[in-house]
DNA sequence: CTGAAAGCGCTTACAG
DNA sequence: CTGAAAGCGCTTACAG
């Protein structure tokens, strides 16, 4: 079934069928009804191979916005963007990347505007979980620009789809790893992340809830926040460990593992401490080789970036399929051997 | 840069450029040289969006051949085939699947012939590591049919590329997991796989070599072969455990985990035994929920199938890129929480 | 050995 | 509101 055949059956031109298919209006209601009926009856679907060739003429630009500055986790996400971009060069696609440091809502808004003004076809964003961001996403949607959230999702928004991990399950997985590492006996210190990021909150909840179930004997001694910052993480851990010499196990819920480890080493407690954390960034890998970090839970950052761009391309080819969908990366346990 | 532009520059028709690009011959040597030089100078590459539309007319068929019968691991590989096939329907692609039971070389050869006679464009095969198979792959290559090995590779062959895991690294990962699970103290029984499968051999080697390094105190008490068969695995484990009551840890290198576990349970040794194995097939997951299997190493079977078909499609679009390439799936550690 | 034409399925101006 | 024509980049017969 092609547009041509539908046009023949309906006794109209292919242009008219195209107008109906793409809601461009300017078609007599009766004609439209006839065409819609025929499309439905024949089970017609648009052929993406044909569509691809016309997409190319527009040279669509995807906007991508992540808080990657000072956070090496996003190097892989960005590499994923680039890989997909490379695969899509023949389709005329480019990815316009904007990066920021930290999670300031005004900053994210202004970069969203900047991308919008560049005439992007789709927005990919590591959204801060804030009402103002949600509103801006809605405004873009009304202009016909779909938004795909990557890595961390935003609640109650009309983003088209989310590409990233299941943080709750990531937290539970961390609890399971903790059981393996500690045998269910530990004095635990927790270093948390950023509480305006939905994912960080869900991860900690998942961890604590599940740990209580499977390791009732693990005592959580203290809890500090690293704010996704190395330096902060270092100082907060140092304080915590000085206050609580009995802590023998650390759980780092977001970035900051290296800072935490530095504090442990500086206090000369490397031998008696074990750390479980997230994401195999280079500095964390170093601490795994050193034996301090026993295992990390990873969320396939490269694939997140790659799939986000592919999903954006899908939007172009097929219109708004994937509406409300979630493209979830599995949580992987990594030890030294499968890094 | 398009064929049209190249043709203009060279003062020939696009048909002639096409003949050169696709080595169809029948072009005057001087003309060919001129065109090749121009292509090179302009950095022309074939646009896959254009090519895709013509591929469709041929309705290419990919042949896929795996030993999935009686081995649920391949359910996911096949689901991956189907997913990719579905994504490629608009390009007219279909996947013709043939399955077999076990690893009989003659059987694999005859199914390869069957697929060949069906007029497949590319062959995807879980190759037995045997010279006769290697020869048949060579014969297909000479006829212009590229072969992609999936899940397990074949040595010294001219297959186009391999899609699957790194078994040696999978074995090392298993050793690392073993260290976490046992704390470096165990009396180990090993249940091995099929020795005509390259992957199974490499996996065991990787495991034993690395385990010696990181857990010198783990003693390997005995070693039996399950031949990738549930029933066999059950009986061999039963025998082994009767012979060696001191075994407290089991390592299953290939399929057969469920049979092994049944033997443990039947002997009433479930409480004192811990099992590490591969691949989260349903029956293994059941044993994880039961607490007998502590962790498994997975090789992303779905992705293997999916990527194999995508690689086959790439061959069609771009000719023989990916020559000799390996598309390697990461080994994932799975525990109950991230299944 | 080579070119002109038609086609894959979809879109896009343009003319009416 | 609608159709005829041209185009995206590649291939495929066909005619010479």
């Amino acid at each position: 079934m092609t547009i041509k055949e539908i046009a023949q059956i309906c006794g109209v031109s292919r242009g008219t069928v195209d107008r109906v298919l793409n809601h461009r209006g300017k078609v007599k209601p009766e004609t439209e009804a006839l065409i819609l009926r025929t499309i439905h009856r024949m089970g017609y679907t648009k052929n993406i191979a044909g569509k691809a060739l016309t997409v190319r003429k527009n040279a669509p630009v995807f906007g991508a916005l992540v808080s990657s500055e000072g956070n090496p986790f996003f190097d892989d996400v960005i590499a994923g963007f680039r890989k997909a971009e490379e695969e899509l060069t023949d389709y005329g696609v480019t990815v316009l990347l904007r990066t920021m440091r930290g999670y300031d809502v005004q900053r994210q808004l202004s970069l969203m505007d900047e991308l919008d003004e560049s005439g992007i076809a789709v927005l990919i964003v590591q959204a801060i979980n804030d009402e103002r961001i949600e509103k801006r996403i809605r405004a873009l949607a009304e202009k016909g620009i779909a938004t795909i959230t990557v890595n961390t999702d935003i609640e109650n928004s009309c983003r088209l789809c989310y590409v990233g991990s299941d943080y709750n399950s990531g937290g539970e997985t961390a609890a399971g790893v903790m059981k393996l590492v500690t045998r269910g006996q530990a004095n635990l210190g927790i270093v948390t992340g950023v509480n305006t990021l939905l994912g960080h909150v869900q991860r900690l909840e998942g961890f604590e809830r599940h740990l209580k179930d499977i390791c009732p004997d693990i005592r959580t001694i203290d809890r500090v926040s690293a704010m996704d910052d190395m330096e902060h993480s270092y100082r907060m851990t140092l304080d915590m460990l000085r206050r609580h010499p009995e802590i023998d196990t650390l759980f780092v819920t977001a970035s900051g593992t290296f800072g935490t480890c530095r504090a442990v080493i500086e206090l000369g407690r490397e031998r008696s401490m074990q750390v479980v954390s997230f994401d195999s960034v280079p500095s964390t890998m170093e601490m795994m080789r050193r034996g301090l970090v026993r295992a990390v839970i990873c969320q396939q950052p490269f694939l997140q970036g790659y799939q986000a761009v592919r999903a954006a391309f899908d939007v172009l080819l097929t219109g708004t399929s994937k509406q409300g969908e979630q493209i979830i990366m599995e949580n992987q346990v990594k030890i030294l051997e499968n890094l």
Side-chain angles (χ1 to χ4, degrees), chain A:
Chain A
M1 271 288 110
T2 69
I3 276 198
K4 200 171 153 191
E5 297 176 81
I6 296 288
Q8 259 159 4
I9 297 174
C10 296
V12 299
S13 75
R14 342 206 212 129
T16 306
V17 177
D18 183 70
R19 261 162 234 135
V20 172
L21 277 171
N22 297 294
H23 320 101
R24 290 192 232 286
K26 313 189 178 185
V27 178
K28 206 200 297 176
E30 301 93 277
T31 319
E32 175 160 24
L34 169 64
I35 293 174
L36 283 175
R37 226 177 320 120
T38 313
I39 283 171
H40 193 254
R41 183 161 56 89
M42 302 274 110
Y44 167 86
T45 52
K46 189 155 25 182
N47 187 299
I48 57 177
K51 172 75 179 176
L53 214 43
T54 65
V55 156
R56 191 176 189 282
K57 281 193 279 193
N58 304 15
V61 178
F62 300 156
L65 173 52
V66 289
S67 289
S68 60
E69 292 174 25
N71 189 348
F73 169 81
F74 283 97
D75 292 352
D76 280 347
V77 177
I78 291 170
F81 289 157
R82 293 304 175 204
K83 169 72 173 170
E85 181 186 36
E86 193 195 312
E87 286 185 10
L88 296 175
T89 36
D90 275 7
Y91 300 91
V93 167
T94 45
V95 174
L96 182 58
L97 178 67
R98 286 285 173 274
T99 61
M100 53 187 273
R101 176 178 294 271
Y103 298 95
D104 178 66
V105 172
Q106 286 307 332
R107 181 80 186 127
Q108 183 158 93
L109 285 172
S110 82
L111 286 170
M112 283 171 76
D113 287 347
E114 213 179 297
L115 287 169
D116 182 17
E117 280 154 26
S118 310
I120 56 173
V122 181
L123 173 68
I124 297 168
V125 61
Q126 180 207 2
I128 301 171
N129 191 27
D130 184 284
E131 210 180 303
R132 286 162 289 174
I133 302 291
E134 182 265 315
K135 270 204 185 116
R136 197 64 52 103
I137 290 175
R138 184 175 310 275
L140 286 171
E142 276 157 13
K143 289 174 61 176
I145 301 176
T147 296
I148 294 172
T149 50
V150 67
N151 183 257
T152 176
D153 204 9
I154 177 168
E155 282 171 318
N156 310 316
S157 88
C158 58
R159 51 103 181 118
L160 183 73
C161 69
Y162 163 64
V163 180
S165 71
D166 178 335
Y167 283 87
N168 181 58
S169 150
E172 289 177 3
T173 303
V177 168
M178 201 50 102
K179 183 178 177 188
L180 268 181
V181 167
T182 63
R183 300 279 156 131
Q185 295 287 345
N187 290 321
L188 184 65
I190 300 181
V191 183
T192 64
V194 180
N195 64 10
T196 50
L197 286 184
L198 192 52
H200 289 188
V201 175
Q202 293 172 336
R203 196 182 263 171
L204 183 60
E205 282 174 8
F207 176 79
E208 296 199 302
R209 187 171 1 85
H210 191 54
L211 192 72
K212 217 184 322 170
D213 279 1
I214 62 171
C215 300
D217 292 343
I218 291 186
R219 289 174 50 216
T220 300
I221 305 296
D222 202 358
R223 200 183 273 107
V224 295
S225 168
M227 305 298 290
D228 253 18
D229 180 281
M230 266 329 160
E231 210 37 46
H232 207 78
S233 159
Y234 164 70
R235 275 184 287 103
M236 297 307 280
T237 307
L238 211 56
D239 287 358
M240 178 167 69
L241 292 180
R242 282 192 180 125
R243 280 196 306 274
H244 300 288
E246 73 274 30
I247 288 180
D248 54 23
T249 305
L250 289 167
F251 175 55
V252 187
T253 70
S255 71
T257 300
F258 191 70
T260 293
C261 290
R262 257 181 56 218
V264 172
I265 293 167
E266 194 170 306
L267 292 175
R269 290 167 67 178
E270 192 174 351
R271 284 291 124 227
S272 58
M273 190 69 69
Q274 44 200 0
V275 179
V276 169
S277 74
F278 284 88
D279 303 325
S280 55
V281 298
S283 62
T284 298
M285 280 163 63
E286 194 186 319
M287 289 300 138
M288 291 182 82
R289 274 182 230 109
R290 199 162 165 153
L292 184 50
V293 175
R294 303 302 165 92
V296 292
I297 293 86
C298 297
Q299 47 174 323
Q300 313 199 63
F302 180 89
L303 204 56
Q304 289 186 19
Y306 179 82
Q307 298 272 47
V309 172
R310 297 296 313 202
F313 187 56
D314 262 21
V315 173
L316 253 53
L317 288 187
T318 64
T320 46
S321 76
K322 307 213 181 254
Q323 186 75 56
E325 215 180 294
Q326 317 226 108
I327 302 176
I328 303 298
M329 311 296 126
E330 287 182 344
N331 290 293
Q332 306 186 330
V333 178
K334 296 237 173 174
I335 55 180
L336 204 47
E337 285 80 2
N338 68 335
L339 268 182

